[in-house]
Amino acid sequence: MKLCRFGTAGAEKPGLVDADGRIRDLSAHIADLTPATVTPEAIARIAAIDPATLPLVEGTPRYGVPVNGIGKFIAVGLNYADHAAEAGLPVPPEPIFFTKAISCLTGPNDPVMLPKGSQKTDWEVELGIVIGTTCRYVEQADALDHVAGYVLVNDVSERAFQKELGSQWDKGKGCDTFGPTGPWLVTPDEVGDVQALDMFLDVNGIRRQTGNTATMIFPVAECIAYVSRFITLHPGDLLITGTPPGVGEGQKPTAIFLKAGDTMRLGVQGLGEQQQTVVPFSLG
């Protein structure tokens, strides 16, 4: 099942994407897709609805972040062996994780804004996990049972802010618009083997990232279990799991960073695609 939120920013409605890729309006059944509606019981109630009975949404509305009210946005870094090699860094002995600000979340096709003073804004296609049941000291063998679904995320990053202004990665990870998420929340039964998903990212029509979740150093289940040892994860929390090689700072012979007017197109197998245009900084 593919669930989404569609419409003008701040006024999105809940939707279900049918077998033909058309959005069906769920608002007669739930007011919104929220942490309360991604629990196993709530997902089962939605799954019991016949999509053909839901109103068809006409046109091509904007997609919003698939879950409204995400409580925590946590990211695992350096989690692909080939990306660690590209960065010239050793494979970490344990997962590295950090937080991204909730305020950076945007719809999958909304513009990405360069922060004020940015010189090294970069791209990262990632697999995201939306938690469905509380995770606190969960075992790796049980971790995937706590997943409501998977989402596509662009972990946009300002490398100078991240790496040249002290030791806190968060500075370069949580700028406004740095968390495009969606278009859909896809339930695990439809995703299949989460450790065998192809992924890509293009900048201005040029393929920059090509990868597969099979090359993760720490698989999805281990990421969930590990984070749950330190931070309790609740329904609706978002955990992203690292990026394959091909980021801007890893380009040879010279790093390439985003500038106003650039476009990014990215996707993860089964989770849809995103496309963003980069815009200059504005306080408006």
Side-chain angles (χ1 to χ4, degrees), residues 55-119:
L56 185 64
V57 178
E58 301 292 342
T60 55
R62 168 189 173 273
Y63 282 105
V65 178
V67 178
N68 186 24
I70 288 171
K72 291 189 284 293
F73 189 176
I74 297 175
V76 176
L78 284 179
N79 195 29
Y80 283 70
D82 36 11
H83 175 51
E86 168 187 62
L89 296 170
V91 170
E94 297 190 28
I96 297 169
F97 70 87
F98 55 91
T99 60
K100 284 177 72 83
I102 298 302
S103 55
C104 81
L105 287 162
T106 59
N109 303 313
D110 293 345
V112 166
M113 182 179 68
L114 297 172
K116 187 176 183 179
S118 169
Q119 297 295 321

Side-chain angles (χ1 to χ4, degrees), residues 230-266:
F230 305 96
I231 298 174
T232 299
L233 299 172
H234 295 106
D237 286 349
L238 176 60
L239 172 64
I240 59 176
T241 54
T243 197
V247 298
E249 71 173 349
Q251 298 295 313
K252 302 292 189 293
T254 304
I256 299 171
F257 296 111
L258 295 166
K259 60 185 184 302
D262 286 346
T263 60
M264 292 176 281
R265 185 175 72 91
L266 57 148

Side-chain angles (χ1 to χ4, degrees), residues 1 4 24 39 76 80 92 111 200 271:
M1 185 167 58
C4 68
R24 300 279 183 163
T39 64
V76 176
Y80 283 70
F200 77 91
L271 303 185

Side-chain angles (χ1 to χ4, degrees), residues 100 113-124 155-165 168-175 178 249 257-258:
K100 284 177 72 83
M113 182 179 68
L114 297 172
K116 187 176 183 179
S118 169
Q119 297 295 321
K120 296 181 180 180
T121 295
D122 204 346
W123 55 84
E124 294 189 17
D155 177 18
V156 185
S157 310
E158 212 299 338
R159 302 300 188 192
F161 295 1
Q162 176 188 354
K163 298 181 177 182
E164 299 171 21
L165 299 179
Q168 300 303 312
W169 282 16
D170 299 25
K171 295 175 186 176
K173 293 287 189 172
C175 303
F178 272 23
E249 71 173 349
F257 296 111
L258 295 166

Side-chain angles (χ1 to χ4, degrees), residues 120-203:
K120 296 181 180 180
T121 295
D122 204 346
W123 55 84
E124 294 189 17
V125 58
E126 303 209 11
L127 169 72
I129 305 155
V130 175
I131 300 299
T133 58
T134 299
C135 297
R136 185 169 182 262
Y137 295 99
V138 301
E139 297 295 330
Q140 184 173 336
D142 303 322
L144 296 186
D145 295 338
H146 295 266
V147 175
Y150 299 96
V151 292
L152 167 63
V153 178
N154 189 352
D155 177 18
V156 185
S157 310
E158 212 299 338
R159 302 300 188 192
F161 295 1
Q162 176 188 354
K163 298 181 177 182
E164 299 171 21
L165 299 179
S167 61
Q168 300 303 312
W169 282 16
D170 299 25
K171 295 175 186 176
K173 293 287 189 172
C175 303
D176 291 345
T177 75
F178 272 23
T181 302
W184 317 309
L185 169 70
V186 185
T187 51
D189 59 296
E190 191 163 327
V191 172
D193 184 357
V194 73
Q195 299 301 155
L197 303 179
D198 290 329
M199 52 207 309
F200 77 91
L201 185 145
D202 298 341
V203 180

